Amino acid sequence: MKNERIILFSLIFCFTAIIGIGGVLSSDTVQAAESTVSMNVIVSGTGGDVTNNPYIKNNIPSSDLANQVVEMAKNGTPMVVFGDGSGPKTMIIAGVHGNELSAQIAAMKMIDYLNGKQIKGTVYIVPFVAPSITAQNERNWNGQNLNSVANVAGTPTNQIVNKAKELKIVVLGDFHSTQPGGDPGKYSALCSKAPTYESYNIANYVSKQTGCKLIIYPKAGKKYPGAVEDISNLAGIPAVTCEVVSPHGTVATGSVDNSFNQMIALLKYKGVI
Ligand SMILES: [Zn+2]
C-alpha cells in the first residue's frame, strides 16, 4: 500500500513536471512567433475608434493583438507586419471605403490567423485605411472617395501606395465589398493586363482558388483612374481588387468568409502560406 502511494505520488510529480516543462516550452514558442509581428501607424489624420462601429466591434477577434491594432487605429492608419522583411512581400488592404465592412473584419481575422504561424515571406496588412470613417460607417473620407484619389499626392491611399513602392511589395490586394446590383455587384477579382501583366495572373489565381468571377481590364487607370489597384499597377506593383457581395454599412452572411478566402488565395499565390 505504502509503495503504491509512493508510486502514485511519483507519477503525479512526473506529470506535473512534464506539464510544467511543456508550459514553459509552449510559452517560449509563442514568444518567438510574436517577435515576428510588429505594427505601426503609416498615415496620420485618419485615426478613429473602429469599435464605435457595432459591426466591427461585434465581429473582429478579441485577441490581445486585435486589441492592439484597434488601439493603434485611434492614432491613424495601422499596418501590421508579419515576417522579417524577407520576400516575397505581400500587402493586404481593407477599408478604402469605410462602410465596406466584410473585408475589414476579414483582415482582422487574417491578422489573428497569421499570428504565430510560420510563413515564407513578409505580409503587410492594413485592416483600416481610414479608421475614422470605419468608426462612422461612412464610405468617404473628408468628402473624398479614397479609391479615386490614390494618384493625388498626400491622400491616405496615395501614402499607402507610396509605402508599397518603398517596401517593394510584389503582390498587392485591395479588398472591398460591392452592393448586390452595384458595380461590379459580383463576388469577383479585378485586374488589368497592362502595364503590369502579373495583375492578371494574380486575379486569375484568386478566381480559380475561390470560384469568384475574374474581371479583366486591358489597361490600368482607364475605368477606375485613381483606384489603389490601378495606381499600384501603373507603378509596377502587381495589384488586384477583390470584391465580395454585401450591402454597404452592414455584413451579409458569408461575405467575411468569402473575403478571407480571397486573402488566403492571395497569400498562396507566391507560396507565403
Ligand atoms: Zn469599395
Side-chain angles (χ1 to χ4, degrees), residues 96-97 100 139 147 175-177 243 248:
V96 166
H97 295 130
E100 296 180 6
R139 180 175 182 79
N147 213 25
F175 293 80
H176 291 246
S177 47
E243 299 271 5
H248 293 161

Side-chain angles (χ1 to χ4, degrees), residues 168-186:
K168 298 186 167 47
I169 297 296
V170 296
V171 177
L172 186 148
D174 184 23
F175 293 80
H176 291 246
S177 47
T178 176
Q179 311 245 39
D183 176 21
K186 289 190 166 65

Side-chain angles (χ1 to χ4, degrees), residues 36 82-84 86 114 117-123 267 271-273:
T36 67
F82 294 95
D84 60 3
S86 59
L114 290 177
K117 194 172 176 67
Q118 289 277 10
I119 57 169
K120 292 178 191 142
T122 304
V123 180
L267 295 177
V272 172
I273 57 169

Side-chain angles (χ1 to χ4, degrees), residues 100-202:
E100 296 180 6
L101 305 170
S102 311
Q104 299 180 69
I105 295 162
M108 289 298 284
K109 290 187 181 237
M110 181 54 71
I111 285 167
D112 239 29
Y113 174 80
L114 290 177
N115 192 19
K117 194 172 176 67
Q118 289 277 10
I119 57 169
K120 292 178 191 142
T122 304
V123 180
Y124 302 84
I125 302 183
V126 179
F128 311 109
V129 163
S132 59
I133 57 173
T134 301
Q136 294 156 24
N137 214 355
E138 281 182 10
R139 180 175 182 79
N140 293 337
W141 181 78
N142 286 355
Q144 287 180 313
N145 172 0
L146 290 178
N147 213 25
S148 66
V149 293
N151 51 349
V152 177
T155 62
T157 38
N158 179 256
Q159 292 186 58
I160 291 168
V161 172
N162 285 341
K163 177 61 75 175
K165 271 193 253 180
E166 179 193 315
L167 292 168
K168 298 186 167 47
I169 297 296
V170 296
V171 177
L172 186 148
D174 184 23
F175 293 80
H176 291 246
S177 47
T178 176
Q179 311 245 39
D183 176 21
K186 289 190 166 65
Y187 183 35
S188 53
L190 290 79
C191 63
S192 54
K193 286 192 170 177
T196 303
Y197 189 85
E198 198 168 2
S199 164
Y200 162 72
N201 288 340
I202 299 166

Side-chain angles (χ1 to χ4, degrees), residues 26-48:
S26 65
S27 77
D28 280 347
T29 309
V30 169
Q31 260 184 354
E34 279 177 356
S35 68
T36 67
V37 185
S38 63
M39 66 177 85
N40 58 313
V41 167
I42 57 167
V43 181
S44 58
T46 52

